[in-house]
mmCIF file of all heavy atoms in Angstrom:
data_model
loop_
_atom_site.group_PDB
_atom_site.id
_atom_site.type_symbol
_atom_site.label_atom_id
_atom_site.label_comp_id
_atom_site.label_asym_id
_atom_site.label_seq_id
_atom_site.Cartn_x
_atom_site.Cartn_y
_atom_site.Cartn_z
ATOM 1 N N MET A 92 53.103 -20.669 10.986
ATOM 2 C CA MET A 92 52.120 -19.561 11.054
ATOM 3 C C MET A 92 52.776 -18.362 11.736
ATOM 4 O O MET A 92 53.282 -18.460 12.854
ATOM 5 C CB MET A 92 50.907 -20.007 11.845
ATOM 6 C CG MET A 92 49.743 -19.029 11.817
ATOM 7 S SD MET A 92 48.990 -18.968 10.181
ATOM 8 C CE MET A 92 47.606 -17.880 10.526
ATOM 9 N N SER A 93 52.777 -17.201 11.046
ATOM 10 C CA SER A 93 53.475 -16.041 11.587
ATOM 11 C C SER A 93 52.632 -15.267 12.582
ATOM 12 O O SER A 93 53.171 -14.512 13.395
ATOM 13 C CB SER A 93 53.880 -15.099 10.438
ATOM 14 O OG SER A 93 52.736 -14.510 9.859
ATOM 15 N N GLY A 94 51.304 -15.421 12.507
ATOM 16 C CA GLY A 94 50.422 -14.635 13.350
ATOM 17 C C GLY A 94 50.376 -13.161 12.971
ATOM 18 O O GLY A 94 49.864 -12.337 13.713
ATOM 19 N N LYS A 95 50.918 -12.841 11.792
ATOM 20 C CA LYS A 95 51.066 -11.451 11.360
ATOM 21 C C LYS A 95 50.087 -11.139 10.246
ATOM 22 O O LYS A 95 50.107 -11.797 9.203
ATOM 23 C CB LYS A 95 52.507 -11.213 10.900
ATOM 24 C CG LYS A 95 52.986 -9.790 10.973
ATOM 25 C CD LYS A 95 54.470 -9.728 10.742
ATOM 26 C CE LYS A 95 55.044 -8.366 11.079
ATOM 27 N NZ LYS A 95 56.485 -8.314 10.862
ATOM 28 N N PHE A 96 49.236 -10.124 10.447
ATOM 29 C CA PHE A 96 48.247 -9.732 9.456
ATOM 30 C C PHE A 96 48.356 -8.227 9.259
ATOM 31 O O PHE A 96 48.274 -7.460 10.223
ATOM 32 C CB PHE A 96 46.830 -10.114 9.912
ATOM 33 C CG PHE A 96 46.730 -11.487 10.512
ATOM 34 C CD1 PHE A 96 46.386 -11.675 11.840
ATOM 35 C CD2 PHE A 96 47.012 -12.613 9.749
ATOM 36 C CE1 PHE A 96 46.300 -12.933 12.400
ATOM 37 C CE2 PHE A 96 46.917 -13.883 10.286
ATOM 38 C CZ PHE A 96 46.571 -14.042 11.613
ATOM 39 N N PHE A 97 48.507 -7.792 8.014
ATOM 40 C CA PHE A 97 48.675 -6.366 7.744
ATOM 41 C C PHE A 97 47.384 -5.608 8.046
ATOM 42 O O PHE A 97 46.283 -6.089 7.804
ATOM 43 C CB PHE A 97 49.131 -6.146 6.316
ATOM 44 C CG PHE A 97 50.523 -6.640 6.047
ATOM 45 C CD1 PHE A 97 50.734 -7.777 5.279
ATOM 46 C CD2 PHE A 97 51.613 -5.973 6.576
ATOM 47 C CE1 PHE A 97 52.029 -8.233 5.050
ATOM 48 C CE2 PHE A 97 52.909 -6.422 6.346
ATOM 49 C CZ PHE A 97 53.107 -7.551 5.581
ATOM 50 N N THR A 98 47.534 -4.381 8.553
ATOM 51 C CA THR A 98 46.402 -3.574 8.977
ATOM 52 C C THR A 98 45.724 -2.906 7.782
ATOM 53 O O THR A 98 46.381 -2.182 7.034
ATOM 54 C CB THR A 98 46.872 -2.458 9.935
ATOM 55 O OG1 THR A 98 47.706 -3.013 10.941
ATOM 56 C CG2 THR A 98 45.685 -1.763 10.570
ATOM 57 N N PRO A 99 44.434 -3.136 7.581
ATOM 58 C CA PRO A 99 43.722 -2.420 6.521
ATOM 59 C C PRO A 99 43.800 -0.909 6.742
ATOM 60 O O PRO A 99 43.689 -0.436 7.868
ATOM 61 C CB PRO A 99 42.280 -2.922 6.655
ATOM 62 C CG PRO A 99 42.408 -4.250 7.343
ATOM 63 C CD PRO A 99 43.558 -4.113 8.282
ATOM 64 N N HIS A 100 43.972 -0.167 5.655
ATOM 65 C CA HIS A 100 44.184 1.275 5.766
ATOM 66 C C HIS A 100 43.038 2.009 6.469
ATOM 67 O O HIS A 100 43.317 2.908 7.302
ATOM 68 C CB HIS A 100 44.421 1.889 4.380
ATOM 69 C CG HIS A 100 44.852 3.302 4.417
ATOM 70 N ND1 HIS A 100 44.013 4.348 4.074
ATOM 71 C CD2 HIS A 100 46.030 3.876 4.799
ATOM 72 C CE1 HIS A 100 44.664 5.488 4.234
ATOM 73 N NE2 HIS A 100 45.876 5.239 4.665
ATOM 74 N N PRO A 101 41.771 1.685 6.240
ATOM 75 C CA PRO A 101 40.704 2.407 6.955
ATOM 76 C C PRO A 101 40.787 2.261 8.466
ATOM 77 O O PRO A 101 40.425 3.179 9.205
ATOM 78 C CB PRO A 101 39.419 1.758 6.402
ATOM 79 C CG PRO A 101 39.791 1.252 5.053
ATOM 80 C CD PRO A 101 41.203 0.778 5.208
ATOM 81 N N ILE A 102 41.268 1.123 8.951
ATOM 82 C CA ILE A 102 41.428 0.930 10.388
ATOM 83 C C ILE A 102 42.633 1.711 10.883
ATOM 84 O O ILE A 102 42.588 2.372 11.931
ATOM 85 C CB ILE A 102 41.549 -0.566 10.738
ATOM 86 C CG1 ILE A 102 40.238 -1.279 10.395
ATOM 87 C CG2 ILE A 102 41.887 -0.761 12.221
ATOM 88 C CD1 ILE A 102 40.270 -2.773 10.583
ATOM 89 N N ALA A 103 43.725 1.669 10.137
ATOM 90 C CA ALA A 103 44.924 2.427 10.510
ATOM 91 C C ALA A 103 44.604 3.915 10.605
ATOM 92 O O ALA A 103 45.074 4.616 11.514
ATOM 93 C CB ALA A 103 46.032 2.181 9.504
ATOM 94 N N MET A 104 43.795 4.416 9.675
ATOM 95 C CA MET A 104 43.427 5.841 9.677
ATOM 96 C C MET A 104 42.753 6.233 10.996
ATOM 97 O O MET A 104 43.091 7.259 11.594
ATOM 98 C CB MET A 104 42.480 6.137 8.512
ATOM 99 C CG MET A 104 43.107 6.187 7.152
ATOM 100 S SD MET A 104 41.886 6.517 5.862
ATOM 101 C CE MET A 104 41.224 8.101 6.413
ATOM 102 N N GLN A 105 41.824 5.420 11.452
ATOM 103 C CA GLN A 105 41.094 5.750 12.682
ATOM 104 C C GLN A 105 41.982 5.561 13.919
ATOM 105 O O GLN A 105 41.837 6.315 14.889
ATOM 106 C CB GLN A 105 39.821 4.920 12.774
ATOM 107 C CG GLN A 105 38.869 5.067 11.577
ATOM 108 C CD GLN A 105 38.548 6.503 11.229
ATOM 109 O OE1 GLN A 105 38.332 7.340 12.108
ATOM 110 N NE2 GLN A 105 38.531 6.789 9.925
ATOM 111 N N MET A 106 42.867 4.591 13.892
ATOM 112 C CA MET A 106 43.773 4.397 15.024
ATOM 113 C C MET A 106 44.735 5.589 15.171
ATOM 114 O O MET A 106 45.023 6.019 16.302
ATOM 115 C CB MET A 106 44.537 3.067 14.868
ATOM 116 C CG MET A 106 43.644 1.840 15.040
ATOM 117 S SD MET A 106 44.493 0.263 14.719
ATOM 118 C CE MET A 106 45.666 0.192 16.091
ATOM 119 N N VAL A 107 45.204 6.114 14.076
ATOM 120 C CA VAL A 107 46.079 7.283 14.133
ATOM 121 C C VAL A 107 45.340 8.479 14.713
ATOM 122 O O VAL A 107 45.904 9.296 15.467
ATOM 123 C CB VAL A 107 46.651 7.620 12.732
ATOM 124 C CG1 VAL A 107 47.346 8.982 12.731
ATOM 125 C CG2 VAL A 107 47.627 6.537 12.303
ATOM 126 N N LYS A 108 44.036 8.588 14.429
ATOM 127 C CA LYS A 108 43.248 9.682 14.969
ATOM 128 C C LYS A 108 43.112 9.619 16.486
ATOM 129 O O LYS A 108 42.730 10.611 17.117
ATOM 130 C CB LYS A 108 41.850 9.697 14.333
ATOM 131 C CG LYS A 108 41.845 10.111 12.870
ATOM 132 C CD LYS A 108 40.433 10.078 12.286
ATOM 133 C CE LYS A 108 40.427 10.449 10.822
ATOM 134 N NZ LYS A 108 39.058 10.360 10.222
ATOM 135 N N MET A 109 43.439 8.471 17.072
ATOM 136 C CA MET A 109 43.358 8.315 18.536
ATOM 137 C C MET A 109 44.580 8.878 19.245
ATOM 138 O O MET A 109 44.661 8.842 20.467
ATOM 139 C CB MET A 109 43.163 6.841 18.892
ATOM 140 C CG MET A 109 41.872 6.260 18.338
ATOM 141 S SD MET A 109 41.663 4.495 18.683
ATOM 142 C CE MET A 109 40.299 4.092 17.577
ATOM 143 N N LEU A 110 45.511 9.436 18.482
ATOM 144 C CA LEU A 110 46.695 10.083 19.042
ATOM 145 C C LEU A 110 46.480 11.608 19.077
ATOM 146 O O LEU A 110 46.234 12.205 18.017
ATOM 147 C CB LEU A 110 47.933 9.777 18.220
ATOM 148 C CG LEU A 110 48.306 8.304 18.005
ATOM 149 C CD1 LEU A 110 49.540 8.212 17.129
ATOM 150 C CD2 LEU A 110 48.499 7.596 19.319
ATOM 151 N N PRO A 111 46.560 12.239 20.231
ATOM 152 C CA PRO A 111 46.482 13.700 20.251
ATOM 153 C C PRO A 111 47.654 14.316 19.483
ATOM 154 O O PRO A 111 48.824 13.957 19.700
ATOM 155 C CB PRO A 111 46.594 14.032 21.749
ATOM 156 C CG PRO A 111 46.178 12.772 22.454
ATOM 157 C CD PRO A 111 46.656 11.664 21.578
ATOM 158 N N VAL A 112 47.364 15.185 18.541
ATOM 159 C CA VAL A 112 48.412 15.809 17.717
ATOM 160 C C VAL A 112 49.198 16.804 18.555
ATOM 161 O O VAL A 112 48.625 17.677 19.212
ATOM 162 C CB VAL A 112 47.797 16.502 16.494
ATOM 163 C CG1 VAL A 112 48.872 17.201 15.689
ATOM 164 C CG2 VAL A 112 47.042 15.494 15.630
ATOM 165 N N LYS A 113 50.530 16.664 18.536
ATOM 166 C CA LYS A 113 51.378 17.639 19.219
ATOM 167 C C LYS A 113 52.719 17.697 18.490
ATOM 168 O O LYS A 113 53.198 16.685 17.954
ATOM 169 C CB LYS A 113 51.569 17.277 20.699
ATOM 170 C CG LYS A 113 52.314 15.996 20.970
ATOM 171 C CD LYS A 113 52.500 15.820 22.485
ATOM 172 C CE LYS A 113 53.323 14.562 22.806
ATOM 173 N NZ LYS A 113 53.539 14.424 24.256
ATOM 174 N N ALA A 114 53.307 18.862 18.493
ATOM 175 C CA ALA A 114 54.559 19.051 17.784
ATOM 176 C C ALA A 114 55.698 18.272 18.458
ATOM 177 O O ALA A 114 55.745 18.150 19.685
ATOM 178 C CB ALA A 114 54.917 20.545 17.755
ATOM 179 N N ASN A 115 56.578 17.723 17.624
ATOM 180 C CA ASN A 115 57.805 17.027 18.062
ATOM 181 C C ASN A 115 57.527 15.723 18.802
ATOM 182 O O ASN A 115 58.393 15.254 19.565
ATOM 183 C CB ASN A 115 58.676 17.960 18.926
ATOM 184 C CG ASN A 115 59.050 19.236 18.182
ATOM 185 O OD1 ASN A 115 59.512 19.158 17.035
ATOM 186 N ND2 ASN A 115 58.852 20.373 18.801
ATOM 187 N N ALA A 116 56.362 15.138 18.578
ATOM 188 C CA ALA A 116 56.074 13.827 19.172
ATOM 189 C C ALA A 116 56.984 12.770 18.562
ATOM 190 O O ALA A 116 57.335 12.820 17.378
ATOM 191 C CB ALA A 116 54.620 13.451 18.942
ATOM 192 N N VAL A 117 57.372 11.809 19.396
ATOM 193 C CA VAL A 117 58.173 10.660 18.945
ATOM 194 C C VAL A 117 57.218 9.465 18.886
ATOM 195 O O VAL A 117 56.634 9.070 19.883
ATOM 196 C CB VAL A 117 59.352 10.353 19.887
ATOM 197 C CG1 VAL A 117 60.185 9.221 19.342
ATOM 198 C CG2 VAL A 117 60.197 11.622 20.095
ATOM 199 N N ILE A 118 57.064 8.907 17.671
ATOM 200 C CA ILE A 118 56.071 7.859 17.422
ATOM 201 C C ILE A 118 56.763 6.643 16.842
ATOM 202 O O ILE A 118 57.535 6.757 15.890
ATOM 203 C CB ILE A 118 55.005 8.353 16.427
ATOM 204 C CG1 ILE A 118 54.372 9.672 16.938
ATOM 205 C CG2 ILE A 118 53.925 7.302 16.201
ATOM 206 C CD1 ILE A 118 53.507 10.359 15.893
ATOM 207 N N ILE A 119 56.476 5.474 17.425
ATOM 208 C CA ILE A 119 57.104 4.240 16.926
ATOM 209 C C ILE A 119 56.040 3.201 16.593
ATOM 210 O O ILE A 119 55.030 3.089 17.277
ATOM 211 C CB ILE A 119 58.115 3.656 17.949
ATOM 212 C CG1 ILE A 119 58.901 2.479 17.346
ATOM 213 C CG2 ILE A 119 57.421 3.242 19.236
ATOM 214 C CD1 ILE A 119 60.046 1.985 18.207
ATOM 215 N N ASP A 120 56.296 2.477 15.517
ATOM 216 C CA ASP A 120 55.580 1.226 15.232
ATOM 217 C C ASP A 120 56.619 0.123 15.354
ATOM 218 O O ASP A 120 57.467 -0.026 14.470
ATOM 219 C CB ASP A 120 54.970 1.240 13.840
ATOM 220 C CG ASP A 120 54.202 -0.036 13.520
ATOM 221 O OD1 ASP A 120 54.303 -1.007 14.283
ATOM 222 O OD2 ASP A 120 53.491 -0.054 12.485
ATOM 223 N N PRO A 121 56.584 -0.668 16.453
ATOM 224 C CA PRO A 121 57.633 -1.665 16.673
ATOM 225 C C PRO A 121 57.524 -2.887 15.785
ATOM 226 O O PRO A 121 58.467 -3.695 15.737
ATOM 227 C CB PRO A 121 57.440 -2.039 18.144
ATOM 228 C CG PRO A 121 56.020 -1.742 18.425
ATOM 229 C CD PRO A 121 55.644 -0.584 17.554
ATOM 230 N N THR A 122 56.399 -3.070 15.087
ATOM 231 C CA THR A 122 56.238 -4.182 14.133
ATOM 232 C C THR A 122 55.636 -3.569 12.867
ATOM 233 O O THR A 122 54.496 -3.848 12.520
ATOM 234 C CB THR A 122 55.326 -5.266 14.704
ATOM 235 O OG1 THR A 122 54.063 -4.701 15.108
ATOM 236 C CG2 THR A 122 55.965 -5.939 15.924
ATOM 237 N N CYS A 123 56.416 -2.759 12.169
ATOM 238 C CA CYS A 123 55.851 -1.818 11.192
ATOM 239 C C CYS A 123 55.417 -2.442 9.872
ATOM 240 O O CYS A 123 54.702 -1.798 9.101
ATOM 241 C CB CYS A 123 56.829 -0.676 10.947
ATOM 242 S SG CYS A 123 58.357 -1.152 10.110
ATOM 243 N N GLY A 124 55.838 -3.683 9.567
ATOM 244 C CA GLY A 124 55.426 -4.287 8.299
ATOM 245 C C GLY A 124 55.777 -3.407 7.130
ATOM 246 O O GLY A 124 56.925 -3.025 6.939
ATOM 247 N N GLY A 125 54.761 -3.008 6.347
ATOM 248 C CA GLY A 125 54.991 -2.159 5.191
ATOM 249 C C GLY A 125 54.862 -0.668 5.478
ATOM 250 O O GLY A 125 54.844 0.129 4.534
ATOM 251 N N GLY A 126 54.800 -0.286 6.724
ATOM 252 C CA GLY A 126 54.807 1.128 7.100
ATOM 253 C C GLY A 126 53.460 1.820 7.063
ATOM 254 O O GLY A 126 53.391 3.052 7.032
ATOM 255 N N THR A 127 52.372 1.058 7.131
ATOM 256 C CA THR A 127 51.032 1.645 7.004
ATOM 257 C C THR A 127 50.744 2.701 8.070
ATOM 258 O O THR A 127 50.273 3.809 7.769
ATOM 259 C CB THR A 127 49.952 0.545 7.067
ATOM 260 O OG1 THR A 127 50.135 -0.357 6.000
ATOM 261 C CG2 THR A 127 48.553 1.147 6.979
ATOM 262 N N PHE A 128 51.031 2.393 9.333
ATOM 263 C CA PHE A 128 50.753 3.348 10.401
ATOM 264 C C PHE A 128 51.579 4.617 10.241
ATOM 265 O O PHE A 128 51.075 5.731 10.393
ATOM 266 C CB PHE A 128 51.046 2.721 11.778
ATOM 267 C CG PHE A 128 49.963 1.808 12.273
ATOM 268 C CD1 PHE A 128 50.274 0.525 12.705
ATOM 269 C CD2 PHE A 128 48.645 2.216 12.359
ATOM 270 C CE1 PHE A 128 49.309 -0.335 13.177
ATOM 271 C CE2 PHE A 128 47.652 1.356 12.834
ATOM 272 C CZ PHE A 128 47.987 0.081 13.254
ATOM 273 N N LEU A 129 52.857 4.486 9.955
ATOM 274 C CA LEU A 129 53.737 5.641 9.839
ATOM 275 C C LEU A 129 53.336 6.517 8.650
ATOM 276 O O LEU A 129 53.335 7.747 8.739
ATOM 277 C CB LEU A 129 55.191 5.185 9.716
ATOM 278 C CG LEU A 129 55.713 4.324 10.881
ATOM 279 C CD1 LEU A 129 57.147 3.915 10.630
ATOM 280 C CD2 LEU A 129 55.582 5.058 12.212
ATOM 281 N N LYS A 130 53.006 5.876 7.549
ATOM 282 C CA LYS A 130 52.525 6.608 6.368
ATOM 283 C C LYS A 130 51.251 7.371 6.702
ATOM 284 O O LYS A 130 51.065 8.530 6.283
ATOM 285 C CB LYS A 130 52.278 5.637 5.219
ATOM 286 C CG LYS A 130 51.617 6.245 3.982
ATOM 287 C CD LYS A 130 51.472 5.194 2.909
ATOM 288 C CE LYS A 130 50.732 5.728 1.681
ATOM 289 N NZ LYS A 130 49.297 5.911 1.966
#
């Protein structure tokens, strides 16, 4: 069992909104899977 479940896009959308937008921010997803958060 990997314990790994991909994030549904509607949830990822709202989680990204919890980041204050600022220029030149450095953002990492350390367990990025298929890149949903970064996309």
Side-chain angles (χ1 to χ4, degrees):
M92 188 70 175
S93 68
K95 204 169 191 179
F96 316 116
F97 291 108
T98 311
H100 189 254
I102 295 176
M104 285 179 60
Q105 303 309 319
M106 291 175 67
V107 169
K108 290 179 182 178
M109 298 177 193
L110 303 179
V112 177
K113 65 177 183 178
N115 302 312
V117 184
I118 305 169
I119 188 171
D120 181 349
T122 55
C123 67
T127 299
F128 281 128
L129 302 179
K130 173 178 177 288

